[in-house]
Amino acid sequence: MEELKKKEDTLGFKLLLIDGKGMLEKTRGIMDDKGVTIPVLLDSRQYSREVLGTMYTPTTYVIDAEGLIRCRLVGHSEDFNGIVADVLSRI
Amino acid sequence: MRNIILLAAAAVFLAGIFPSCSGETGTAGTSDLYLLEELETARLVENADKRLERLEIFTANNSAHPYRLLAYEDILETMAVDKGDVEGALAYFDGLIKKEEDPAIRGKLLFAKFEFFREADSLRSVALAKEVLESGEKDFRLLMYMAYYLMGVEGQEEIVDAIFVRLIEVSEDEHRKNHARTIYAEFLEADGCEEKAAEVLELASSYTFANAPIGRRLWEEDRREEALERYIFLAAGAPGYRKYIKLDSLYSVVYPSSNDLESKIGVLRIVYGPQIPDREFVDIRGMRHSISGYRGSKVVITAFSPT
């Protein structure tokens, strides 16, 4: 994901992570170990599950400039960053 | 000892299914970060009695905040594991379920109890599932998880069927309803009801994962072009499936001279979903974010689990 973050300016988007489990130290530890600088939002009221409709993690949502959900990707794949870049170019 | 371990496992599982919460959105400001820091400080108290005291103060002071569930989990674990008071932990647990007014949190507490019984005594877990069903509980995740786990218990087909029927009835959200239908179809197929399973799956065909079994069935019936349509839809929403089901190979078997698979998948990825509502968040570093603050920019949000 950090590789994707490096493309924020080029591709014109903002990358966020959202975590509903509330395991603060564990999350911070993982982020520090992996050198992840992407903001991790604390989702105490389950925005991800109740509003976005997340059934499995990871699930990635691509939102357009008007705030509309334009793509939902469940899981991960080797070419994930390329997929996201393609989606961003189409919306 | 086994009970202690199982109760601890149930408590850990409770963390794993940290609930969806209905009701007021409230102010998701820096208080969330502050509360988590306070909770983690309480968790680190070495003396079990003092830790319990701190955790109970936390739940008393934050009785309306969703993070109270995290503290409940720590209290259970401390009572059962550190103090070895399994009966006390179970009694505490029942007390929580009785007094909890938030249906989502009550649902998760009930599921944790179900999970404990499932490991310790499957008959008691079945009895609890029946009790939950009869009580009219409508919590989606509670019913979903109970059905899912009872699918593996021999002789419980009737209750599993009843839970799925309830799930599909009570799910107002089409996405959830289709998720339930997809798992229900898996159960029906395993139970030898292939025809009914196929009917249920067709109702869920707009749901990404329903298209894995639909595509498989079509492929087996030698309806390969239709199967590929389903598989392409699946790969569009769940990119990892492209490799998992060897979609490129299957596609080249049916369309040996075509090289348009990539574009077909790409087109299907784009949807016109709803506008996501505004909400404020604080991140793990204490920075504040709001959904409305990102309007005007494209945003990629990944829901992830640190586990």
Side-chain angles (χ1 to χ4, degrees):
Chain A
M1 294 299 279
E2 196 61 20
E3 285 304 307
L4 190 57
K5 181 170 173 54
K6 288 176 186 165
K7 296 178 181 171
E8 277 184 331
D9 289 340
T10 323
L11 298 175
F13 74 102
K14 292 288 179 191
L15 180 59
L16 302 168
L17 295 170
I18 186 163
D19 166 30
K21 297 231 167 151
M23 298 162 80
L24 189 59
E25 287 310 310
K26 186 165 188 169
T27 304
R28 278 177 176 161
I30 291 170
M31 296 297 126
D32 289 346
D33 287 351
K34 298 191 173 180
V36 175
T37 60
I38 306 162
V40 180
L41 311 185
L42 294 172
D43 188 16
S44 64
R45 287 165 177 80
Q46 302 298 291
Y47 186 85
S48 167
R49 283 187 176 174
E50 296 303 311
V51 178
L52 299 179
T54 303
M55 302 297 293
Y56 300 100
T57 53
T59 294
T60 298
Y61 301 86
V62 183
I63 316 293
D64 70 15
E66 281 74 48
L68 304 172
I69 296 177
R70 302 301 307 278
C71 177
R72 182 195 331 236
L73 299 166
V74 184
H76 209 72
S77 63
E78 288 164 5
D79 56 344
F80 189 78
N81 291 352
I83 290 171
V84 172
D86 179 60
V87 170
L88 287 165
S89 73
R90 289 170 184 260
I91 65 171
Chain B
M1 186 60 188
R2 180 173 158 74
N3 279 351
I4 294 171
I5 293 166
L6 291 175
L7 189 60
V12 169
F13 194 85
L14 184 63
I17 58 168
F18 180 62
S20 50
C21 298
S22 56
E24 294 291 317
T25 56
T27 307
T30 48
S31 63
D32 285 349
L33 184 62
Y34 170 77
L35 287 179
L36 277 183
E37 301 227 350
E38 186 185 336
L39 187 57
E40 299 219 342
T41 304
R43 283 173 178 155
L44 293 174
V45 174
E46 203 166 322
N47 180 282
D49 288 317
K50 287 184 179 167
R51 192 188 321 141
L52 267 181
E53 192 182 339
R54 288 285 295 270
L55 289 166
E56 281 167 357
I57 290 170
F58 181 92
T59 59
N61 288 344
N62 301 288
S63 59
H65 194 283
Y67 282 159
R68 69 188 180 278
L69 191 74
L70 297 175
Y72 292 157
E73 165 219 327
D74 291 320
I75 290 172
L76 287 168
E77 190 172 347
T78 301
M79 287 177 80
V81 179
D82 297 279
K83 293 176 64 70
D85 183 10
V86 177
E87 289 309 313
L90 276 173
Y92 175 79
F93 203 91
D94 283 338
L96 289 177
I97 292 169
K98 202 172 287 182
K99 77 175 182 186
E100 182 57 57
E101 289 178 1
D102 183 323
I105 289 191
R106 191 178 62 249
K108 299 309 174 274
L109 290 168
L110 276 166
F111 180 73
K113 185 179 176 184
F114 168 81
E115 177 66 2
F116 172 70
F117 285 145
R118 189 179 72 86
E119 295 288 340
D121 181 348
S122 66
L123 287 179
R124 287 181 80 181
S125 70
V126 173
L128 179 61
K130 285 179 180 167
E131 195 182 304
V132 165
L133 200 59
E134 284 165 11
S135 72
E137 282 284 344
K138 292 180 179 174
D139 182 76
F140 178 83
R141 289 177 192 274
L142 169 66
L143 295 171
M144 188 74 245
Y145 284 122
M146 285 199 315
Y148 187 78
Y149 284 108
L150 287 176
M151 279 167 67
V153 181
E154 205 174 323
Q156 300 306 326
E157 292 78 7
E158 201 176 322
I159 177 118
V160 173
D161 200 273
I163 295 172
F164 274 120
V165 169
R166 165 77 62 80
L167 256 174
I168 293 165
E169 273 174 10
V170 302
S171 305
E172 291 172 4
D173 176 280
E174 200 61 20
H175 187 63
R176 284 182 166 184
K177 197 186 281 282
N178 287 336
H179 176 75
R181 284 178 173 140
T182 302
I183 310 292
Y184 183 35
E186 185 186 323
F187 161 73
L188 289 169
E189 196 169 336
D191 202 31
C193 307
E194 284 91 355
E195 207 170 307
K196 190 174 176 188
E199 285 171 18
V200 172
L201 273 175
E202 272 308 318
L203 292 172
S205 61
S206 62
Y207 180 62
T208 298
F209 292 100
N211 289 278
I214 294 175
R216 187 175 61 242
R217 180 175 51 80
L218 290 168
W219 189 268
E220 284 166 2
E221 291 172 359
D222 213 23
R223 295 160 65 183
R224 295 185 169 189
E225 291 180 7
E226 291 171 77
L228 283 176
E229 280 180 30
R230 302 301 190 139
Y231 281 154
I232 290 169
F233 185 76
L234 172 67
Y241 267 80
R242 180 171 177 172
K243 188 176 179 183
Y244 182 70
I245 60 173
K246 300 183 173 64
L247 179 56
D248 292 67
S249 300
L250 299 178
Y251 195 77
S252 65
V253 168
V254 179
Y255 302 109
S257 55
S258 293
N259 59 357
D260 57 353
L261 177 61
E262 191 71 47
S263 66
K264 283 185 176 176
I265 294 174
V267 166
L268 284 177
R269 282 205 177 102
I270 307 300
V271 298
Y272 290 88
Q275 187 178 54
I276 59 172
D278 193 20
R279 196 68 53 91
E280 283 193 353
F281 298 92
V282 61
D283 70 27
I284 60 171
R285 309 290 176 201
M287 298 297 289
R288 296 173 72 94
H289 303 257
S290 70
I291 296 296
S292 59
Y294 287 109
R295 293 275 194 266
S297 300
K298 297 173 191 174
V299 180
V300 175
I301 304 177
T302 295
F304 85 112
S305 163
T307 53

